[in-house]
Amino acid sequence: MPRTRRSSAPAHPTDLASHLRRETAAAHSSLEESLSLLSQPLDRQRFVRVLERFHGFHAVWECAIRQRSKFAAFHAPRARLPHLRRDLAALGRTTAEIRALPLCAEAERLAGDEAAALGSLYVMEGSTLGGKLIARALADAGWAPAGGITYFDPYGRRTGEMWRGFQGFLAAQDPDRDRAAAGARETFALLEEWLAA
Ligand code: HEM
């Protein structure tokens, strides 16, 4: 579903969150379209495959954010690798199979400089917003394991609070905006390529 950007135009059009939103609109639409996760019927095998690919991305990206950026402490409670491991196990993958999944080595470069890492964090935190729609559709699909698939909606009822928390964090940063936007677009582009491979 395309994001209705004009209807939710910000009061301060130059804040960093709005800048990133505007600068990634096309990249978001492109990824959303290529993933087409909401096309019916929602296929179990396809979702397992998508979760496996997200696992390969998060395993590298979260490690890089932890080790190479100064945002490790902020990001720690937002890590989604545990959700992916849990979901894949609940969908029948063994620990050995999960450990053997391919890794997206290129995700490391997204944490390479501070501004780019911020853009990348924006993309992954923002994905919890659209993720709610996906989680709802999955719940209706009938084959999700007990407890649901948690990756797409990791915060549940706290989604709004977590998003506001992220926006507050973003507002306290002062990165090169173009680098941050480029980092966000690179994140979308790499995900699109990696998830489709
Ligand atoms: C079928 C897949 C997806 C759907 C249906 C979807 C839909 C949405 C919706 C409805 C919103 C919030 C509405 C709004 O603020 O205008 C949103 C926000 C967002 N989504 Fe997605 N999305 C999808 C996948 C993704 C993925 C895979 C990512 C990145 C990994 C992503 C990144 C974002 C970001 C960064 C925002 C925040 C925008 C802002 O600044 O407010 N989305 N998405």
Side-chain angles (χ1 to χ4, degrees):
M1 153 182 338
R3 290 183 288 177
T4 49
R5 284 159 186 280
R6 247 171 302 177
S7 61
S8 44
H12 304 289
T14 56
D15 68 79
L16 180 57
S18 308
H19 180 69
L20 292 175
R21 187 166 206 260
R22 200 168 44 240
E23 290 292 317
T24 59
H28 180 278
S29 299
S30 176
L31 175 61
E32 195 183 321
E33 202 172 305
S34 100
L35 269 181
S36 66
L37 285 180
L38 294 175
S39 313
Q40 295 290 337
L42 269 59
D43 180 66
R44 185 183 190 277
Q45 248 180 309
R46 164 144 171 68
F47 268 89
V48 171
R49 163 94 184 143
V50 167
L51 290 169
E52 287 177 342
R53 298 302 281 179
F54 269 120
H55 178 281
F57 177 88
H58 279 269
V60 175
W61 182 79
E62 290 188 6
C63 183
I65 291 289
R66 208 165 43 241
Q67 294 181 350
R68 300 185 54 199
S69 84
K70 63 174 206 182
F71 306 122
F74 174 79
H75 178 259
R78 296 167 184 263
R80 285 160 84 185
L81 199 54
H83 290 277
L84 286 162
R85 291 199 182 117
R86 182 217 160 273
D87 292 344
L88 286 167
L91 286 160
R93 290 289 183 262
T94 64
T95 306
E97 284 169 339
I98 295 170
R99 281 212 190 108
L101 287 170
L103 297 174
C104 177
E106 296 90 334
E108 186 168 357
R109 72 163 194 262
L110 300 171
D113 74 70
E114 196 178 310
L118 274 176
S120 204
L121 282 167
Y122 160 80
V123 175
M124 301 320 294
E125 283 304 306
S127 73
T128 64
L129 302 182
K132 281 203 104 50
L133 305 181
I134 299 166
R136 221 169 286 145
L138 281 169
D140 291 344
W143 50 257
I149 292 177
T150 62
Y151 172 70
F152 296 104
D153 186 20
Y155 307 138
R157 287 184 185 173
R158 295 180 59 228
T159 304
E161 178 195 328
M162 292 298 278
W163 181 241
R164 285 189 296 280
F166 179 71
Q167 287 181 311
F169 159 79
L170 211 50
Q173 314 297 321
D174 187 22
D176 176 322
R177 288 171 178 234
D178 291 337
R179 274 301 302 141
R185 283 193 302 267
E186 270 175 49
T187 306
F188 271 117
L190 178 59
L191 272 172
E192 186 167 335
E193 189 189 324
W194 175 251
L195 294 172

